[in-house]
Amino acid sequence: MRQKGKGQTLDFNLSKKGTSRRDLLKICENAVKYSVRTSHPYFRNQLYGGVDPYALAGTWLSEALNTNQYTFEVAPFFMTTERAILKKIREIIGWPDGRGDGIFAPGGSTGNMYGIVAARYNKFPESKVEGMFGLPRLTLFISQDAHYSSIKAAHWLGFGTKSVIAVPTDELGRMIPEELEKCKCGAVPFCVVATSGTTVLGAFDPLEAIAKICRANDIWLHVDACWGGSALLSKKHRHLMKGVENADSLIWNPHKMLGAPLQCSPFVIRHEGLLHKCNSASATYLFQQDKFYDVSYDTGDKSFQCGRKVDGFKLWTMWKARGDNGLEALVSNTFQCAEYVHELIKNRPGFKMVIPEVQCTNVCFWYIPECLRNLEETEEWWTKMEKVAPEIKRRMTVEGSLLIGYQPLKHKNLRNFFRLVLTCQPPLTTENMDFVVSEIDRLGRDMIL
């Protein structure tokens, strides 16, 4: 297959004869040339961005050593660092003495599945060997603004997507505890997945109130903190996750806001021993119990994977280099930039906020071209407004000046709007925010609809 770049044809075919080093180097140069610069301050398109240089160094080292994260005998150094970083995370959550357990998952969606599987096993341990046969119909609760991965997990785990109940959210996108209490499902509720930092609006569900409901009804509380979990590193912002210490399990993606290289997804659980009981298959060629060292360092049997990349070391390296204070400074700066840009645009002509305040580092807004300003917001007006964000996105992509995502939110009857997401790497400035706002205005001001 041949694809054209600007002024040249790129050859992607594979052949019997190998490529020369000179040609291979040219191919690598083209890979850089034609790739999106995710480490640029104006890549604001996804819930990730640039990479922390210390974490990148840790990644290069672990990749070069090419080991596997399942037994201590093949990865003694990395097993020890993984153990240390998971304990640190549990301490920050607030579990006494950092007790509990954990594993690094291949992404947040898989981490949510870990939590749901643990919840099912905790309530029905026989499900491990019997499956869904003989179990009552189960119900899982999420918010209307939760990530879709819980719905996919319901399919993969066999209790079906109809068993997932989406609890209504308030005007900021937060689960309403009173609505959770009112939910009637005619089945056995076994897990609530609360979200700290929803994908679109950046909402933090009220964990304290949700945890109280879960305790009263013997329901497992899993927290999807993939996006917003970095708030725990900031004294000023950790109140957003007040009550997180009551969670049974939690998944966090430092490869998102914090800037660890993809992928880096620690899953932690409050209940010691449960993760191993839930997932263990006791493969005798890996997990012999009569080894000469402490076999609790063989973490592979807690995972449903066999081979696992060394994902924890990149986070450990970054944390070791920067310390608690350095990471807090990065997170606080990112939140401060989100607050700055919100203040910048909320009263600026041509901009309209989607929600009245910033919770995480998502800033959601509409841009209104001059031709649509000061007009009544009729259905016809909104139909035209739907076309604005896609067209500005096209223009910024063609020019290569900026990259920001947009989307509708149908359950809240919100038409296409921009979602500006801010991350720690590279550290952002108010000047960066000024450019983003000015560039959107420049690209969209002359639109005719």
Side-chain angles (χ1 to χ4, degrees):
M1 179 177 67
R2 292 176 180 267
Q3 294 188 4
K4 277 195 173 182
K6 289 184 179 179
Q8 77 176 106
T9 298
L10 304 179
D11 187 358
F12 291 93
N13 293 312
L14 300 173
S15 59
K16 291 182 179 180
K17 187 178 179 181
T19 301
S20 70
R21 291 186 180 183
R22 177 182 293 180
D23 289 345
L24 192 59
L25 180 60
K26 183 62 178 177
I27 291 169
C28 292
E29 290 172 352
N30 280 327
V32 174
K33 182 178 180 180
Y34 294 111
S35 290
V36 175
R37 305 294 198 270
T38 59
S39 289
H40 196 282
Y42 300 136
F43 175 80
R44 302 289 107 215
N45 202 64
Q46 314 296 146
L47 298 182
Y48 68 89
V51 295
D52 185 284
Y54 295 111
L56 180 58
T59 302
W60 283 338
L61 179 60
S62 60
E63 288 292 310
L65 291 170
N66 194 38
T67 192
N68 212 321
Q69 190 89 349
Y70 44 40
T71 61
F72 182 81
E73 63 198 78
V74 298
F77 184 87
F78 296 125
M79 282 293 188
T80 308
T81 55
E82 181 184 68
R83 195 178 180 109
I85 196 69
L86 289 170
K87 185 175 188 292
K88 181 72 172 181
I89 293 168
R90 295 193 298 267
E91 289 172 349
I92 288 174
I93 289 171
W95 294 337
D97 301 319
R99 289 199 297 269
D101 205 349
I103 199 88
F104 273 78
S109 294
T110 307
N112 282 330
M113 194 178 298
Y114 265 112
I116 294 168
V117 170
R120 183 177 65 179
Y121 177 83
N122 183 65
K123 199 169 190 72
F124 298 103
E126 66 272 24
S127 65
K128 180 176 180 179
V129 293
E130 299 292 342
M132 298 302 292
F133 299 102
L135 293 187
R137 186 170 182 83
L138 303 180
T139 300
L140 169 72
F141 299 94
I142 62 175
S143 86
Q144 283 182 325
D145 290 70
H147 193 261
Y148 63 82
S149 56
S150 292
I151 297 172
K152 286 196 172 185
H155 159 52
W156 273 59
L157 298 176
F159 52 88
T161 59
K162 285 186 177 180
S163 298
V164 181
I165 294 181
V167 180
T169 56
D170 64 16
E171 71 282 358
L172 297 179
R174 302 171 298 192
M175 183 188 290
I176 303 172
E178 294 77 14
E179 294 293 333
L180 174 63
E181 279 194 297
K182 290 192 298 186
C183 285
K184 304 295 181 185
C185 57
V188 177
F190 77 104
C191 182
V192 171
V193 177
T195 308
S196 291
T198 56
T199 304
V200 178
L201 298 179
F204 286 81
D205 289 339
L207 300 180
E208 205 164 41
I210 293 170
K212 185 177 180 181
I213 295 169
C214 289
R215 285 196 302 270
N217 294 276
D218 189 28
I219 299 174
W220 183 281
L221 174 57
H222 172 69
V223 177
D224 176 353
C226 289
W227 173 231
S230 296
L232 288 172
L233 302 174
S234 169
K235 298 182 187 71
K236 182 179 179 181
H237 299 98
R238 68 170 290 129
H239 69 89
L240 294 165
M241 294 180 65
K242 185 180 180 182
V244 67
E245 68 278 2
N246 298 306
D248 293 288
S249 58
L250 177 144
I251 180 69
W252 172 38
N253 282 351
H255 67 242
K256 290 184 175 174
M257 187 188 300
L258 204 59
L262 284 155
Q263 59 195 16
C264 184
S265 303
F267 168 81
V268 288
I269 186 170
R270 183 157 53 95
H271 309 272
E272 291 185 77
L274 191 142
L275 191 60
H276 185 268
K277 290 177 183 176
C278 178
N279 297 313
S280 172
S282 303
T284 56
Y285 62 90
L286 282 177
F287 309 118
Q288 303 93 338
Q289 298 302 293
D290 54 356
K291 293 180 178 181
F292 65 91
Y293 58 81
D294 181 357
V295 295
S296 69
Y297 281 81
D298 288 354
T299 61
D301 214 14
K302 294 185 290 189
S303 166
F304 66 78
Q305 297 171 259
C306 180
R308 279 197 307 127
K309 291 181 68 66
V310 178
D311 285 333
F313 183 61
K314 63 189 81 169
L315 179 58
W316 182 90
T317 306
M318 172 168 50
W319 213 312
K320 189 72 170 177
R322 298 190 182 277
D324 296 356
N325 294 341
L327 295 182
E328 179 178 18
L330 287 171
V331 172
S332 295
N333 175 68
T334 307
F335 271 89
Q336 186 177 344
C337 284
E339 292 158 7
Y340 173 85
V341 75
H342 177 266
E343 291 300 313
L344 184 64
I345 67 178
K346 71 176 184 180
N347 295 315
R348 181 174 175 133
F351 290 82
K352 178 182 175 68
M353 302 307 303
V354 174
I355 54 177
E357 63 184 74
V358 172
Q359 299 170 82
C360 198
T361 59
N362 313 42
V363 185
C364 299
F365 59 91
W366 290 281
Y367 177 76
I368 308 169
E370 285 190 339
C371 67
L372 293 178
R373 294 179 194 176
N374 304 315
L375 300 177
E376 184 181 356
E377 296 181 10
T378 62
E379 179 63 24
E380 181 184 1
W381 187 86
W382 277 110
T383 298
K384 292 179 179 179
M385 276 291 295
E386 275 189 316
K387 302 173 183 177
V388 173
E391 174 57 20
I392 295 178
K393 176 68 176 281
R394 185 193 69 80
R395 294 182 182 189
M396 68 174 66
T397 304
V398 170
E399 289 204 18
S401 61
L402 189 63
L403 208 57
I404 296 179
Y406 71 87
Q407 66 286 304
L409 210 56
K410 291 184 179 180
H411 68 274
K412 290 191 176 299
N413 196 30
L414 298 174
R415 310 292 181 93
N416 280 333
F417 58 89
F418 285 110
R419 179 197 61 169
L420 172 66
V421 286
L422 307 184
T423 56
C424 295
Q425 293 294 340
L428 299 171
T429 66
T430 54
E431 289 78 11
N432 294 146
M433 300 299 97
D434 291 337
F435 173 83
V436 168
V437 174
S438 297
E439 182 66 359
I440 290 173
D441 194 19
R442 182 185 74 83
L443 292 168
R445 181 182 292 271
D446 66 349
M447 286 182 65
I448 303 296
L449 296 160

